[in-house]
Amino acid sequence: MKAVHFGAGNIGRGFIGLLLSKSGYEVTFVDVNDTLVNLLQSKRQYTVTLANEQADSIVVDNVTAIDGKDQALVAEAVAEADIVTTAVGVSVLKHIAAAIAQGIELRLSRSTRPLHVIACENAIGGSTQLKNHVYDHLSAPAKEQADRSIDFPDAAVDRIVPLQQHEDPLLVTVEPFYEWTVDRSAIRGEFQEIAGVHYVDRLLPYIERKLFTVNTGHCIAAYHGYLSGYETIQEAMKDPAVVGEVRGALQESGAMLVRTYSFDEASHKQYIEQILERFINPYLTDEIARVGRSPIRKISPNDRLVRPARLAHELGIPVPHLTKAVAAALLFDESSDPESAELQAYVREHGVHAAIEKYTELPQDHALHAQIADEYAKLKEHRS
């Protein structure tokens, strides 16, 4: 069995590639990083280390890589694959779509063999977004053919993979916990299940539970940790004040999730505590500058802070911690991050109300807009 995985980065090697290899796939990574591609081609294996007391190691073999800049080569790999996956970042999906489309056209010219394309990204409907990008490059007849044999099941992925600092560029350290959930209802006919993947018939509740708990909590720890002067999530999570903000926000988003999707309340409370323990993991070093980056995306209307706050507010659930987290994100001033620099420049030029309206799309007469602005003023005064 052949798997083509776009993105030989830490998530790709430490999570998706690992599970595909353990399921018996020959994994071909597609990446534009020449160093990673050359090393994977020559070694044909790498090591994943678990962030636990024993520092358990797993050798991932039967892997190789190809140059993502060679579109013809990538298309040939897609044409011959049994599964295609991605872990490139949702904003990059449009840049790999042309090669996937070329591969699909090549594949359809040879056979009607089915193919599953799964975007393993931190986004709702990542595979659906990728499908739309791919279809932009397909001819009308190819779209009709693809509709009959190519599936793009959406997925939710969860594994904390911090920045790596190893002599071996292929070595990846990951947390022991992982969760890869795939929408079974979007897969037609019989298929080879991937070991370790959780297949469900209704994906949205699991995606939102993950996004509005793991991703929400992680970035809140980063933004409040940044304001308190910490360098890593693990340092920040030793501070009861930061933990209180994270737990409070997760209780708010959790109340919304329980009401919306009928999750068991007691089980969800346990899930929140499990997530908090993952953030504390002393065997991980997760830098706040990395976790907090891209604040514009993170305070956008449908992302991890504003969407759960708005949905909870519509249900009559107070959201003081979530609105305070958005305010903290507005103060995240990390010069190495382009989005942070853009956000700070906009606030300086136009003021915080204009920034809230522009980036969260909460109008000035919305109750949450006022709460965010009030918390922003308090946090800013506290820092000065």
Side-chain angles (χ1 to χ4, degrees):
M1 298 185 295
K2 295 181 178 179
V4 171
H5 177 80
F6 285 80
N10 299 326
I11 290 287
R13 299 196 313 282
F15 184 6
I16 310 303
L18 167 63
L19 264 62
L20 289 170
S21 175
K22 287 175 66 177
S23 293
Y25 285 94
E26 177 187 1
V27 182
T28 297
F29 289 96
V30 179
D31 206 287
V32 297
N33 184 316
D34 294 333
T35 300
L36 291 177
V37 170
N38 292 335
L39 283 170
L40 287 165
Q41 286 177 341
S42 62
K43 294 190 173 183
R44 299 188 66 81
Q45 67 176 36
Y46 60 89
T47 301
V48 175
T49 301
L50 299 184
N52 58 18
E53 187 174 3
Q54 302 78 21
D56 295 322
S57 292
I58 305 164
V59 175
V60 182
D61 54 17
N62 202 23
V63 300
T64 187
I66 57 177
D67 183 358
K69 300 184 287 297
D70 189 337
Q71 185 166 317
L73 185 61
V74 175
E76 181 62 36
V78 170
E80 296 299 317
D82 294 291
I83 188 171
V84 173
T85 54
T86 79
V88 294
V90 68
S91 63
V92 179
L93 292 177
K94 58 180 176 291
H95 300 300
I96 65 173
I100 296 175
Q102 186 177 340
I104 287 175
E105 295 235 19
L106 195 59
R107 182 188 192 90
L108 294 173
S109 71
R110 298 172 179 171
S111 75
T112 58
R113 197 160 56 98
L115 177 66
H116 302 147
V117 183
I118 307 174
C120 305
E121 311 293 349
N122 272 329
I124 296 173
S127 300
T128 301
Q129 293 183 46
L130 177 58
K131 178 182 179 179
N132 292 334
H133 292 308
V134 169
Y135 270 44
D136 286 341
H137 296 276
L138 292 178
S139 65
K143 289 178 186 174
E144 290 184 12
Q145 284 183 280
D147 283 342
R148 292 192 287 271
S149 60
I150 314 294
D151 293 329
F152 290 78
D154 285 316
V157 290
D158 183 10
R159 182 167 230 177
I160 295 174
V161 183
L163 282 177
Q164 308 290 309
Q165 295 177 337
H166 308 296
E167 288 188 11
D168 177 1
L170 294 182
L171 176 63
V172 189
T173 299
V174 300
E175 67 163 339
F177 178 92
Y178 69 85
E179 191 172 71
W180 182 3
T181 308
V182 173
D183 182 5
R184 183 201 303 271
S185 68
I187 302 176
R188 291 166 292 188
E190 296 183 359
F191 62 98
Q192 178 71 37
E193 291 195 355
I194 302 165
V197 170
H198 181 209
Y199 293 89
V200 299
D201 292 322
R202 190 165 171 250
L203 184 65
L204 185 60
Y206 292 91
I207 290 180
E208 295 214 328
R209 185 188 69 161
K210 185 262 179 178
L211 279 177
F212 301 154
T213 311
V214 181
N215 298 88
T216 297
H218 212 201
C219 77
I220 291 174
Y223 294 136
H224 283 295
Y226 168 80
L227 293 178
S228 297
Y230 299 113
E231 296 289 331
T232 70
I233 295 296
Q234 288 67 39
E235 291 173 355
M237 290 299 288
K238 291 179 182 175
D239 186 332
V242 174
V243 174
E245 290 299 330
V246 177
R247 179 179 274 113
L250 297 191
Q251 288 171 345
E252 292 164 11
S253 67
M256 179 276 291
L257 290 166
V258 167
R259 294 262 299 268
T260 303
Y261 295 117
S262 301
F263 286 121
D264 179 75
E265 188 172 355
S267 297
H268 191 75
K269 285 181 178 177
Q270 291 179 353
Y271 180 69
I272 289 173
E273 293 305 315
Q274 181 187 38
I275 300 305
L276 293 173
E277 287 299 317
R278 291 172 60 197
F279 295 162
I280 294 169
N281 184 344
Y283 303 102
L284 285 172
T285 302
D286 219 358
E287 295 177 359
I288 281 174
R290 183 193 76 84
V291 179
R293 68 189 178 191
S294 304
I296 289 177
R297 175 168 58 86
K298 288 169 181 165
I299 64 170
S300 61
N302 290 315
D303 215 281
R304 64 207 69 189
L305 295 177
V306 174
R307 180 171 168 80
R310 199 180 64 246
L311 293 176
H313 176 72
E314 290 170 1
L315 291 170
I317 300 167
V319 288
H321 295 283
L322 284 168
T323 49
K324 190 173 181 179
V326 177
L330 287 163
L331 287 162
F332 183 69
D333 189 0
E334 176 58 49
S335 59
S336 64
D337 177 41
E339 283 197 15
S340 174
E342 177 186 334
L343 180 60
Q344 294 308 311
Y346 192 88
V347 171
R348 283 194 296 273
E349 184 172 354
H350 301 281
V352 71
H353 283 286
I356 293 170
E357 189 157 17
K358 175 181 174 66
Y359 295 112
T360 70
E361 296 185 12
L362 292 167
Q364 293 208 21
D365 60 355
H366 195 290
L368 296 185
H369 182 121
Q371 290 179 31
I372 293 168
D374 288 346
E375 293 294 349
Y376 177 88
K378 292 176 188 173
L379 289 172
K380 190 174 181 181
E381 182 179 0
H382 182 72
R383 292 191 76 200
S384 59

